[in-house]
């Protein structure tokens, strides 16, 4: 009888895989560099900050949502996109509520309703509570709130698509400690939510209240205890791996690093202000680029204090370049469109007119859909193979005796 041992099976199976073809390795081939997703999302966010046209903002939100829907995995951090969408809706509602209660600086002639106005003292001039609510002021608040919501949704798209642990490996050494703190906070948040849901379900099964002050206290204490245990375990694991240990760096290099980093960040702030304002258009961009170069140099020098090694670093390939370039292209095209036709990107509310959808800015936003075509989607989860049911004695007998007439003969 032929042997069917493991060696024979592995040699004769034409579908045999090499050690490098493990499921984890095949899953990594579908990963994209996390920094590419952040560059793409920041490009969309920059485009959202350059317009108040509700049609363009709605198109930008649709572009971000489509890319997230086609490339989001079932990882815990991928569920944060829904939370950011809800946060954007909450910001929009709060902005409209402020416009109704506190009024709007935009004058209007179309009165929607009149609220009772509360008299305020002289030192509170310029602020009012209640009064006349106009359609122009409410529409201005809607445009402004929609822009803030679009910014939050773009950040949520980056959080849903980029793996925070892999993003940490791509940070420079000078930002490693701050990056670890952010990643730990983002990783522990889903665990806290899961603990709260689990404990509330357990209390409901036991017939105990899970709402109100009493339920909150009896659920909150076990959650805090579990968070403390995870924090202690994480601290022990980080200490065993040498986290926080720094290398010896001369004092001159430390002073130069601090000066470059602080000066570069101040230059980035001043340059950003100059770019966003009309008065600083001449000096804004040079100051921004100079400050960015100084800050990057400082971060590069600061990385010498924390020697690190990267296990299986994420490569920056052609697809990552396409994704990052698509976000940058959207931002640059929207800035150019704003300089060429600012009225199309900022529709007026006085007089009250319906916004139009400009052709070229809309086409520029559609460039943000490039990741959905250039990057393959996440692999489908493998379905377990069905094991055939063992044959019963009755079935085996029926298969053996197929013709009773021939058996009698």
């Amino acid at each position: 009888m032929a042997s069917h041992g493991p060696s024979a099976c592995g040699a004769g199976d034409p579908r045999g895989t090499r050690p490098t073809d493990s499921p984890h390795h095949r899953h990594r081939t579908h990963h994209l560099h996390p920094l590419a997703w952040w560059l793409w999302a920041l490009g969309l966010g920059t485009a959202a900050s350059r317009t108040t046209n509700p049609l363009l903002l709605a198109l930008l939100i649709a572009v971000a949502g489509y890319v997230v829907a086609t490339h989001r995995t079932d990882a815990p951090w991928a569920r944060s996109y829904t939370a950011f969408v809800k946060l954007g809706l909450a910001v929009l509602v709060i902005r409209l509520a402020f416009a109704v209660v506190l009024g709007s600086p935009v004058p209007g002639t179309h009165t929607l309703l009149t609220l009772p106005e509360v008299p305020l003292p002289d030192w509170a001039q310029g602020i009012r509570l209640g009064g006349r609510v106009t359609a122009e002021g409410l529409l201005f608040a809607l445009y402004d709130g929609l822009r803030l919501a679009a910014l939050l949704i773009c950040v949520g798209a980056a959080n849903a698509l980029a793996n925070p642990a892999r993003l940490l490996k791509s940070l420079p050494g000078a930002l490693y400690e701050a990056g670890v703190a952010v990643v730990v906070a983002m990783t522990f948040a889903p665990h806290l939510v899961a603990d709260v849901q689990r404990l509330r379900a357990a209390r409901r099964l036991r017939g105990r209240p899970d709402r109100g002050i009493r339920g909150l206290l009896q659920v909150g204490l076990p959650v805090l205890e579990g968070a403390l245990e995870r924090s202690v375990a994480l601290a022990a694991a980080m200490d065993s791996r040498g986290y926080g240990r720094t290398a010896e760096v001369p004092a001159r290099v430390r002073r130069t690093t601090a000066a470059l980093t602080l000066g570069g960040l101040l230059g980035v702030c001043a340059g950003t202000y100059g770019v966003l304002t009309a008065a600083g258009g001449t000096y804004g961009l040079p100051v921004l680029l100079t400050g960015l170069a100084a800050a990057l140099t400082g971060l590069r020098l600061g990385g010498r204090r924390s020697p690190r090694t990267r296990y299986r670093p994420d490569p920056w390939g052609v697809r990552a370049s396409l994704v990052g370039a698509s976000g940058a292209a959207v931002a640059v095209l929207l800035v150019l469109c704003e300089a060429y036709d600012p009225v199309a990107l900022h529709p007026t509310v006085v007089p009250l007119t319906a916004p139009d959808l400009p052709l070229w800015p809309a086409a520029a936003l559609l460039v943000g859909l490039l990741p959905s075509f250039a990057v393959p989607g996440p692999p489908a989860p493998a379905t377990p193979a069905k094991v055939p049911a063992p044959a019963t004695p009755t079935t085996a007998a029926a298969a053996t005796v197929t013709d009773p007439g021939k058996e009698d003969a």
Side-chain angles (χ1 to χ4, degrees):
M1 180 178 293
S3 173
H4 295 283
S7 58
C9 181
D13 188 4
R15 295 172 298 178
T17 57
R18 295 171 296 177
T20 56
D21 292 335
S22 61
H24 180 69
H25 176 78
R26 292 195 300 269
H27 185 62
R28 284 179 57 89
T29 59
H30 295 273
H31 281 167
L32 190 71
H33 200 286
L35 187 59
W37 287 122
W38 273 101
L39 291 177
W40 169 80
L42 291 178
L44 295 186
T46 304
S49 66
R50 310 302 296 187
T51 179
T52 56
N53 191 320
L55 300 179
L56 292 177
L57 291 174
L59 180 61
L60 188 145
I61 292 173
V63 168
Y66 180 78
V67 175
V68 171
T70 55
H71 289 78
R72 183 172 58 175
T73 62
D74 55 352
W77 60 83
R79 306 169 189 170
S80 62
Y81 182 73
T82 306
F84 276 92
V85 172
K86 293 179 180 179
L87 181 60
L89 293 177
V91 167
L92 180 60
V93 172
I94 293 173
R95 183 66 179 88
L96 291 175
F98 280 174
V100 171
V101 176
L102 303 178
S104 176
V106 178
T109 57
H110 298 77
T111 304
L112 297 178
L113 59 114
T114 302
L115 299 176
E117 188 170 355
V118 178
L120 298 177
D122 297 336
W123 54 267
Q125 290 184 358
I127 303 175
R128 68 176 180 87
L129 293 176
R132 195 166 58 96
V133 180
T134 61
E136 289 84 355
L138 203 61
L139 198 61
F140 176 78
L142 176 64
Y143 292 172
D144 195 25
L146 189 60
R147 178 169 57 178
L148 294 176
L151 287 172
L152 290 173
I153 289 175
C154 291
V155 175
N159 279 279
L161 295 173
N163 188 337
R166 293 172 56 236
L167 180 63
L168 174 64
K169 296 195 304 182
S170 305
L171 290 178
L175 299 178
Y176 178 67
E177 296 181 358
V180 167
V182 173
V183 170
V184 168
M186 294 176 60
T187 305
F188 275 10
H191 291 289
L192 293 177
V193 175
D195 288 346
V196 170
Q197 294 176 353
R198 177 176 55 82
L199 291 171
R200 290 183 62 186
R203 290 184 62 84
R204 284 195 300 267
L205 290 175
R206 293 178 174 89
R208 298 177 181 177
D210 61 328
R211 299 181 182 274
I213 302 298
R214 183 180 178 183
L216 179 62
L217 291 177
Q218 296 189 2
V219 169
L221 291 179
V223 169
L224 292 178
E225 182 182 0
L228 181 61
E229 291 178 356
R230 281 194 295 267
S231 300
V232 172
L234 178 64
M238 294 169 66
D239 183 70
S240 64
R241 288 168 174 81
Y243 173 78
R245 300 174 186 174
T246 57
E248 292 293 335
V249 178
R252 177 175 55 85
V253 177
R254 290 200 302 268
R255 289 193 293 267
T256 304
T257 301
L260 287 174
T261 305
L262 293 178
L265 292 178
L266 290 176
V268 168
C269 295
T272 304
Y273 177 79
V275 170
L276 296 178
T277 57
T282 56
Y283 70 87
L285 188 60
V287 172
L288 176 61
L289 295 178
T290 304
L292 186 61
L296 291 178
T297 304
L299 293 177
R300 181 73 176 178
L301 292 177
R304 298 180 179 180
R305 298 185 65 247
S306 57
R308 298 166 50 220
T309 58
R310 289 184 174 91
Y311 174 68
R312 299 175 68 178
D314 295 316
W316 184 277
V318 178
R319 291 171 177 170
S321 301
L322 290 176
V323 171
S326 65
V330 171
V332 171
L333 291 175
L334 259 292
V335 170
L336 295 177
C337 291
E338 184 187 19
Y340 178 74
D341 190 7
V343 178
L345 270 67
H346 300 278
T348 60
V349 296
V350 180
L352 195 61
T353 56
D356 297 329
L357 181 62
L359 178 60
W360 291 110
L365 292 180
L366 293 179
V367 178
L369 290 174
L370 182 62
S372 61
F373 302 100
V375 180
T383 57
K386 295 183 178 179
V387 180
T392 60
T394 307
T395 308
T400 305
V401 183
T402 57
D403 192 350
K406 293 182 179 180
E407 193 70 22
D408 293 340

